[in-house]
Amino acid sequence: MKITRLKTWQVPPRWLFLKIETDEGCYGWGEPVIEGRAATVEAAVHELSDYLIGQDPHRIEHLWNTLYRAGFYRGGPILMSAIAGIDQALWDLKGRDLGVPVHQLLGGAVRDKMRMYAWTGGDRPSDVGAGAKALVDEGFTAFKMNGTPELQIVDSHRKIDEAVARVAEARDAVGPDVGIGIDFHGRVHRPMAKALLRELEPFHPMFVEEPVAPEHLPCLKDIAGGLGYPLATGERLHTRFEFRDLLADGMIDIIQPDISHCGGISEGLKIAALASAYDVALAPHCPLGPLTLAASLQLDAVSHNAFIQEQSMGIHYNQGNDVLDYLVDKSALSIEDGFCAIPQGPGLGVEIDEAYVEERAKIGHRWRNPVWTHEDGSIAEW
């Protein structure tokens, strides 16, 4: 069997789908994308196709190393996202060819279903109490909210009080047993994070995510020691080597690699195993589409330290299309009582409606994240 073609589609709301085809009719799907840079990743996928056409798709590890090492320059969000989607598609193809789900090829599942969480509150969080209560009523046992809108590097304590009040509102709405993830989104700089992290302690967060931007993670030793709840990060880290340095530092309790950004299932598996050596939990980042979610669940299935999975059904970014719209069988990723069964179909376990993909690709997208500014006109972290 030889790879013959790589086809890509930009589809609403902000996703990029990839299909790898072979001379024997077998195929696989993947989702190589960086939010807001879909066209750039798409170009990288087609540049990398030079290394893939004519090759045996079953040699996934060899092809991964070819894509990663042969170009000399490596790492970063664009290249690793392109590799990630290709890797997902290769695993999907191999599973389809052999008639088994990917998790069977990775040693078999350690769990039957995965605990899931959902989002509430939007980019600038509001009405978090009502939104959180609605999610709990749907059966979710955990949710995530943005902790704060934009903050200056040194801002007023009023902004901290407002963030704490929002978390208090959410906790009051759902009671003590529901998990609350609080995403700082890299918006909180070191001087403000020192105070905010500690003032959230009485509300017992499930975790605080991206407590500072990824380039400032070394400061956690100084500002977050002794906290009584877990810290999480990793969506903007792209190789096992970046996670290695983070884990060795000992300040993160939950890692959140994105299986469409970190090099795919192959690299995600290595990152998860590395985290387990440090007794660190896994909660893959996934505000993306059905293929990223299906790939994440395949990794969750074989990772004993995985404890919860993000998903983006109904998220505020999903304008025009949602996660299940592109599936032939929408039940493959259905969530019941806050859990999603590990997909058991061949490959990633989902079947993409290619005709619908073609139709929506005519609309496409040019999604960009908001560009925020502070009152003085300087650029704020989104």
Side-chain angles (χ1 to χ4, degrees):
M1 186 186 297
K2 303 297 181 187
I3 296 171
T4 55
R5 183 164 65 162
L6 282 72
K7 296 171 64 178
T8 53
W9 299 266
Q10 292 186 44
V11 296
R14 56 179 188 163
W15 305 329
L16 178 69
F17 290 170
L18 162 69
K19 185 182 183 184
I20 295 181
E21 299 178 339
T22 68
D23 58 355
E24 295 187 11
C26 198
Y27 60 88
W29 288 86
E31 197 171 329
V33 68
I34 276 283
E35 301 93 299
R37 299 293 180 264
T40 311
V41 178
E42 185 175 31
V45 167
H46 289 290
E47 286 186 326
L48 292 171
S49 70
D50 293 346
Y51 299 100
L52 298 168
I53 301 299
Q55 298 300 310
D56 176 0
H58 284 278
R59 299 184 65 193
I60 298 173
E61 189 69 17
H62 173 68
L63 293 176
W64 195 99
N65 277 282
T66 301
L67 298 174
Y68 182 76
R69 301 177 190 280
F72 186 71
Y73 296 98
R74 58 189 68 168
I78 301 303
L79 288 176
M80 295 308 293
S81 296
I83 291 172
I86 292 169
D87 181 81
Q88 292 169 17
L90 291 173
W91 279 110
D92 188 41
L93 190 156
K94 189 166 188 171
R96 289 174 182 275
D97 189 39
L98 298 176
V100 296
V102 168
H103 63 76
Q104 289 286 15
L105 302 176
L106 301 177
V110 301
R111 56 178 51 87
D112 302 318
K113 60 183 181 179
M114 191 67 193
R115 187 185 181 201
M116 311 294 285
Y117 70 85
W119 268 88
T120 190
D123 268 346
R124 286 189 171 97
S126 60
D127 298 324
V128 292
K133 181 65 166 57
L135 291 172
V136 172
D137 290 344
E138 288 179 34
F140 286 99
T141 63
F143 66 91
K144 188 164 75 177
M145 56 180 281
N146 275 312
T148 177
E150 63 271 39
L151 284 180
Q152 283 275 18
I153 187 167
V154 176
D155 215 320
S156 70
H157 204 279
R158 176 178 59 84
K159 297 286 187 69
I160 292 177
D161 291 341
E162 289 171 352
V164 171
R166 279 187 291 269
V167 175
E169 175 190 345
R171 177 56 76 201
D172 184 62
V174 300
D177 298 325
V178 173
I180 302 179
I182 306 167
D183 193 353
F184 281 15
H185 219 249
R187 298 171 183 170
V188 185
H189 294 268
R190 172 180 175 147
M192 303 303 290
K194 289 168 65 174
L196 183 51
L197 286 169
R198 280 171 171 76
E199 295 208 21
L200 291 173
E201 241 178 330
F203 306 99
H204 306 295
M206 179 172 64
F207 58 76
V208 164
E209 177 175 334
E210 281 204 315
V212 291
E215 56 265 40
H216 301 308
L217 287 170
C219 80
L220 290 180
K221 277 186 176 178
D222 298 322
I223 69 172
L227 284 177
Y229 59 83
L231 297 178
T233 197
E235 69 190 71
R236 290 191 274 181
L237 303 180
H238 304 107
T239 66
R240 78 196 86 147
F241 310 109
E242 292 178 0
F243 280 94
R244 173 196 62 196
D245 298 337
L246 175 70
L247 291 163
D249 198 46
M251 287 306 303
I252 287 295
D253 309 291
I254 303 165
I255 58 162
Q256 300 171 303
D258 190 306
I259 308 307
S260 277
H261 302 340
C262 76
I265 294 170
S266 295
E267 189 74 349
L269 189 67
K270 296 176 177 69
I271 292 166
L274 183 62
S276 73
Y278 288 89
D279 205 21
V280 166
L282 172 70
H285 180 254
C286 186
L288 293 168
L291 292 159
T292 309
L293 179 55
S296 299
L297 288 166
Q298 297 295 332
L299 178 63
D300 293 328
V302 299
S303 301
H304 193 269
N305 54 335
F307 86 103
I308 202 164
Q309 175 62 56
E310 182 176 26
Q311 52 82 33
S312 72
M313 297 176 202
I315 201 170
H316 47 287
Y317 305 125
N318 291 355
Q319 302 296 317
N321 278 109
D322 214 322
V323 175
L324 302 182
D325 294 349
Y326 292 97
L327 298 184
V328 173
D329 178 8
K330 295 172 175 45
S331 69
L333 294 177
S334 64
I335 300 172
E336 297 182 11
D337 298 324
F339 285 83
C340 183
I342 302 298
Q344 297 299 317
L348 296 180
V350 296
E351 190 63 58
I352 296 295
D353 184 342
E354 187 169 349
Y356 187 67
V357 169
E358 292 276 6
E359 176 188 333
R360 298 303 290 165
K362 294 174 185 175
I363 306 244
H365 67 86
R366 194 172 175 82
W367 189 87
R368 297 290 184 267
N369 62 257
V371 177
W372 288 357
T373 57
H374 295 296
E375 188 177 357
D376 62 6
S378 61
I379 291 292
E381 298 282 352
W382 167 74

